[in-house]
Amino acid sequence: MPVVKVQDGRVAVVTFGEPPVNSLGLTTRRDLAAALDAAITDPATAAIVLGGANGLFSAGADITEFGTPKMLAAPNLIDLIALIEASPKPIVAAIEGTCLGGGFEIALGCNYRVAGSGARLGLPEVKLGLLPGAGGTQRLPRLVGVEPALNLILSGEPVPATAFKGSPLLDRIVEGPVVAAAVELANAKVEELSGRAPPRVRNRPLREPALDAFLGFARNSIKAAFPNYPAPLAIVDAIASAATQDFDAGIAAERRWFSELLHGPVSGALRHLFFAERAAAKIPDVPESTPLREVKRVGVIGAGTMGTGITINFLNAGIPVVLLELGREALDKGVARIAETYEGQVRKGRLTKEDALARRSLLDATLNYPDLAECDLVIEAVFEDMDVKRQVFERLDASLKPGAILASNTSTLDLDRIAAVTKRPSDVIGMHFFSPANVMKLLEVVRGRATGKDVLATVMKLARTIRKTAVVSGVCDGFIGNRMLEQYLRQALFMLDEGASPAEIDRAIEGFGFAMGPFRMSDLAGNDIGWHIRKRRYADTPTMVYSRIADRVCELGRLGQKTGSGWYDYRPGDRNAQPSAVVDELISSYRAELGLVPRKFTKAEIVDRLVYALVNEGAKILDEGIATRASDIDLVYLYGYGFPAWRGGPMGYADAVGAFSVVHRMAEFARNPHGDPAFWTPAPLLARLAASGGAFNSTGVRS
Ligand code: 3H9
């Protein structure tokens, strides 16, 4: 719906709407300015009510316009709010549903605000690496005070209107129709003002004592908590301007910071990830109208760490689960682990006792496959071995009702071979959760050759219900995430051979922003996982060159934190990694065997070798159609492997560096006399992008 103006007595009601979220793109801004101008100059109009269509006020500026001429074209958001604020006739914002970012800033520019009790207001710009750039940092503190404004803007989280009860931010909070209440208030204000200018937020004084100490404290905490994100500090500075300078100077400062952040790399990365999240849910050949299957009851096979973590996701979403194990002891242990998780959450105050009890009551435990007969979806989370998985799927095929979805949590194995043992391969899909499965946000959804479109659409929708970010992967060894990880880990091991230490490599990549380096991560996950995969690789791909040093570590029984030692040593009850003399010695003697003289590494070399190993494999995955789009790969690495969000994921990062520079750096690594030149051969897609100046994230969606 475009902008609509209707007259209600002497009040003009102006409604704007740009589905789905009433973002404030250029056309809407132009139409809105024209409608407001018309109402302001119309002698029959004494006041204006401004509201949004589609059941919400607005989600803010149109993010797709950022960095384009449309964003700055007149009237920009600041011009529009200035027009509203300069109106001699009172303007009342009627706020229903979502009211975010630039939408909230428009409401702050109005003279009065009426909100529905279900409305949610917020300034989420910080999540896009920005600060509110249309007066939010200047007007909000004038209404709610410096500290509450700072907290709201720094968190970026929307707050229910009811939280502002009694604050001058909202003149009324109403249960019934919001526009009608706003019209009523507008009429009352016309009487009350009787020709005087309406009050303006910009004119409200902002005087707060002891501000310097508070802002100093805020700056120090932010520097420690968000060292790589420039927006939070800019927000403090902008709010400081609101408190210490006149309004126009504050607005000018806010505008400068906004522009600086908008053109900086961090906001670029975060905006890329915002759209990546929304794009990942769209599957080119699966229309949104695809009928979904009902999933009212879920079965999980395997009560180990993975199976119980998966179970908790569904219990949390209110979906009953039947958990199956083969032995009584393992089943009891699994059930106890789930109970402990909930008890822990109650202890930490994250869940009430009643809620914990309600969630646990949705769990049934069994030793018998026939008890899964009523399940609509069963997820297998047993040992990562093809024969074991195939046996489980044969039994599932025999036990489940027609139309049930059969899912495997395999992290590497060929889903098509698993599906082939059933009489219903179109009902088979991969649901690869990441450990701890009840915490990690990523779900790799593996689409087999025969997976039905309705099965895929159902699982994607279900992922949203259990609050996961789902990314579709085709079938290949390791799917998107683990296939790339294998090359990253191979490269980490080659660097050990050449002279780097595990701690040096971990430190360098953690300095780049990864949550955990490869060696700390392997110790946490268990070094036997990689060992198992490598043994398979030695047999099925003997041409793949591997450093054998990781096998030696495993042969000593150093399987990671669970055995008290791995690449590092661990003191009992302490997860802090201590460098290990045993591992140092092992590495030295392995180097001697290879005839390698250790050399020094720069942090840049370590980081580039690890990240470009990911990028090159990601390019192959994209070219082969295993991933639908580059941004899907970025999400996998962000949510599954701790890649720093502010760098935009591996493919987004490569785009920022430029394919040309990536390929040149890889050529340097290929010339390393101890390297593997085959490793650094650019993937065909990467080579094409380097030659054409293109970017992964503009290569489009593959179908
Ligand atoms: C700002 O305002 C700057 C100003 O301070 C200063 C300017 C000078 N623009 O999330 P959904 C699209 S910065 C364009 O799936 P939900 C979204 O891409 C802005 N598009 O729905 C998707 O498109 P598609 C500050 C937007 O119900 C569709 O809408 N505001 C925008 O789960 C549905 O989105 C924000 O940061 C936008 N602003 O959640 C708010 N917002 O269907 C960002 C959404 O093609 N938005 N889209 O994939 C949100 O937080 C959520 O989208 C919202 C709805 C809560 C609104």
Side-chain angles (χ1 to χ4, degrees):
M1 186 177 90
V3 174
V4 174
K5 176 165 111 28
V6 292
Q7 206 65 24
D8 183 343
R10 57 184 173 172
V11 179
V13 178
V14 176
T15 311
F16 64 100
E18 177 64 37
V21 295
N22 299 350
S23 61
L24 294 154
L26 179 59
T27 310
T28 304
R29 297 197 305 270
R30 273 194 185 141
D31 292 352
L32 197 46
L36 290 169
D37 268 335
I40 290 168
T41 50
D42 176 5
T45 295
I48 299 163
V49 164
L50 179 59
N54 312 313
L56 76 156
F57 193 75
S58 166
D62 183 345
I63 307 168
T64 62
E65 281 187 357
F66 284 7
T68 73
K70 273 189 172 180
M71 182 191 178
L72 299 174
N76 62 36
L77 210 44
I78 296 174
D79 300 334
L80 185 65
I81 296 171
L83 185 155
I84 291 170
E85 200 164 50
S87 164
K89 298 173 182 176
I91 302 186
V92 183
I95 304 168
E96 280 182 281
T98 301
C99 178
L100 300 177
F104 190 13
E105 291 172 297
I106 286 195
L108 293 171
C110 292
N111 308 105
Y112 306 100
R113 284 154 297 277
V114 174
S117 57
R120 292 176 71 77
L121 300 93
L123 292 165
E125 286 85 346
V126 70
K127 294 185 181 178
L128 301 172
L130 297 168
L131 49 57
T137 63
Q138 306 303 300
R139 291 190 180 89
L140 189 64
R142 286 177 157 80
L143 284 162
V144 301
V146 165
E147 192 173 340
L150 188 64
N151 289 339
L152 189 104
I153 299 175
L154 282 178
S155 83
E157 289 299 324
V159 173
T162 46
F164 296 107
K165 200 164 172 229
S167 149
L169 176 68
L170 298 177
D171 298 274
R172 282 188 196 166
I173 301 172
V174 297
E175 292 296 336
V178 180
V179 171
V183 170
E184 193 184 301
L185 182 74
N187 275 311
K189 291 297 175 187
V190 171
E191 297 303 324
E192 191 184 308
L193 292 166
S194 115
R196 276 177 288 121
R200 294 180 177 124
V201 175
R202 59 175 285 144
N203 296 333
R204 287 178 72 92
L206 178 59
R207 278 181 225 102
E208 293 204 12
L211 206 57
D212 282 352
F214 170 69
L215 293 175
F217 169 74
R219 282 192 186 96
N220 287 338
S221 323
I222 285 167
K223 274 185 208 153
F226 310 104
N228 300 305
Y229 291 83
L233 264 189
I235 288 168
V236 179
D237 288 345
I239 289 188
S241 294
T244 53
Q245 293 179 283
D246 70 36
F247 183 81
D248 290 325
I251 285 281
E254 179 196 84
R255 202 173 189 161
R256 260 197 325 275
W257 276 303
F258 184 84
S259 169
E260 213 170 277
L261 292 169
L262 182 73
H263 296 106
V266 175
S267 176
L270 296 180
R271 281 182 280 130
H272 161 63
L273 293 172
F274 174 86
F275 288 114
E277 293 229 19
R278 273 118 195 120
K282 298 182 176 71
I283 308 162
D285 65 334
V286 180
E288 276 182 31
S289 57
T290 305
L292 302 180
R293 298 191 189 180
E294 246 187 356
V295 179
K296 287 187 167 164
R297 196 175 184 77
V298 169
V300 175
I301 317 265
T305 317
M306 205 40 148
T308 50
I310 293 172
T311 299
I312 290 170
N313 285 302
F314 292 97
L315 300 180
N316 286 350
I319 300 174
V321 178
V322 184
L323 179 63
L324 182 144
E325 250 300 349
L326 292 183
R328 167 62 57 196
E329 198 184 327
L331 185 62
D332 289 347
K333 253 185 160 169
V335 171
R337 190 177 300 122
I338 293 170
E340 273 160 30
T341 305
Y342 282 127
E343 278 156 23
Q345 289 181 354
V346 171
R347 262 198 315 277
K348 287 178 198 147
R350 293 195 190 140
L351 204 62
T352 64
K353 256 188 185 161
E354 294 69 33
D355 283 345
L357 217 61
R359 291 180 193 190
R360 280 179 57 184
S361 71
L362 296 172
L363 177 67
D364 276 328
T366 185
L367 298 169
N368 307 309
Y369 273 79
D371 289 340
L372 300 173
E374 287 313 305
C375 290
D376 304 297
L377 159 74
V378 175
I379 305 165
E380 152 286 304
V382 301
F383 188 63
E384 187 74 354
D385 177 275
M386 182 55 87
D387 291 338
V388 178
K389 302 252 185 210
R390 281 164 68 103
Q391 278 165 23
V392 168
F393 270 73
E394 271 170 10
R395 296 193 72 173
L396 287 178
D397 195 21
S399 319
L400 299 191
K401 63 184 180 187
I405 298 173
L406 286 65
S408 171
N409 178 52
T410 179
S411 54
T412 45
L413 300 175
D414 183 343
L415 186 77
D416 293 329
R417 284 191 59 210
I418 297 175
V421 299
T422 73
K423 288 183 214 66
R424 37 177 146 178
S426 63
D427 292 340
V428 175
I429 193 164
M431 290 177 78
H432 177 209
F433 289 83
F434 286 69
S435 191
N438 53 317
V439 176
M440 296 290 280
K441 242 190 119 183
L442 179 67
L443 178 66
E444 249 182 345
V445 174
V446 184
R447 181 181 191 173
R449 208 174 17 231
T451 304
K453 288 185 181 177
D454 60 334
V455 170
L456 186 56
T458 302
V459 168
M460 292 302 281
K461 164 89 188 322
L462 191 64
R464 241 182 121 119
T465 309
I466 60 171
R467 304 164 79 94
K468 298 287 177 200
T469 295
V471 172
V472 177
S473 170
V475 175
C476 66
D477 198 322
F479 313 122
I480 298 174
N482 283 343
R483 176 169 157 185
M484 287 166 66
L485 186 73
E486 186 173 359
Q487 303 312 320
Y488 167 92
L489 293 175
R490 274 181 74 205
Q491 210 37 242
L493 297 178
F494 287 147
M495 286 192 275
L496 287 189
D497 295 352
E498 287 178 57
S501 72
E504 223 180 323
I505 294 173
D506 281 349
R507 263 199 311 272
I509 198 73
E510 285 163 15
F512 174 81
F514 264 77
M516 228 182 243
F519 298 103
R520 288 211 301 134
M521 187 192 71
S522 294
D523 272 359
L524 178 67
N527 293 325
D528 44 336
I529 298 177
W531 198 17
H532 186 68
I533 294 172
R534 284 192 303 278
K535 283 180 192 161
R536 189 154 55 80
R537 198 64 72 232
Y538 300 152
D540 66 19
T541 325
T543 48
M544 193 187 278
V545 183
Y546 243 113
S547 162
R548 301 291 171 122
I549 189 66
D551 301 347
R552 305 268 173 103
V553 171
C554 291
E555 281 156 12
L556 289 182
R558 301 181 66 100
L559 302 184
Q561 286 190 17
K562 62 183 173 188
T563 56
S565 68
W567 290 104
Y568 297 95
D569 291 335
Y570 298 88
R571 298 193 192 103
D574 184 359
R575 290 182 175 189
N576 282 319
Q578 311 292 333
S580 161
V582 176
V583 170
D584 287 349
E585 179 49 40
L586 202 67
I587 295 173
S588 298
S589 60
Y590 184 65
R591 281 180 195 141
E593 257 176 61
L594 298 179
L596 284 173
V597 179
R599 69 171 172 93
K600 292 253 172 288
F601 274 79
T602 62
K603 280 185 185 159
E605 178 176 356
I606 294 171
V607 166
D608 288 352
R609 282 176 64 169
L610 292 178
V611 175
Y612 295 167
L614 291 176
V615 170
N616 203 32
E617 197 62 23
K620 291 178 192 167
I621 283 172
L622 194 57
D623 223 8
E624 291 166 22
I626 298 293
T628 309
R629 39 182 100 69
S631 62
D632 284 0
I633 299 176
D634 289 333
L635 289 182
V636 167
Y637 263 76
L638 174 66
Y639 290 127
Y641 299 87
F643 198 98
W646 52 280
R647 297 216 191 246
M651 312 315 277
Y653 176 72
D655 283 347
V657 172
F660 179 86
S661 304
V662 171
V663 164
H664 270 75
R665 186 76 163 139
M666 284 169 56
E668 235 177 83
F669 298 146
R671 289 194 292 273
N672 171 1
H674 304 298
D676 172 10
F679 189 106
W680 293 115
T681 306
L685 173 61
L686 179 58
R688 286 200 301 278
L689 294 177
S692 67
F696 287 115
N697 280 295
S698 58
T699 47
V701 172
R702 300 180 59 103
S703 54

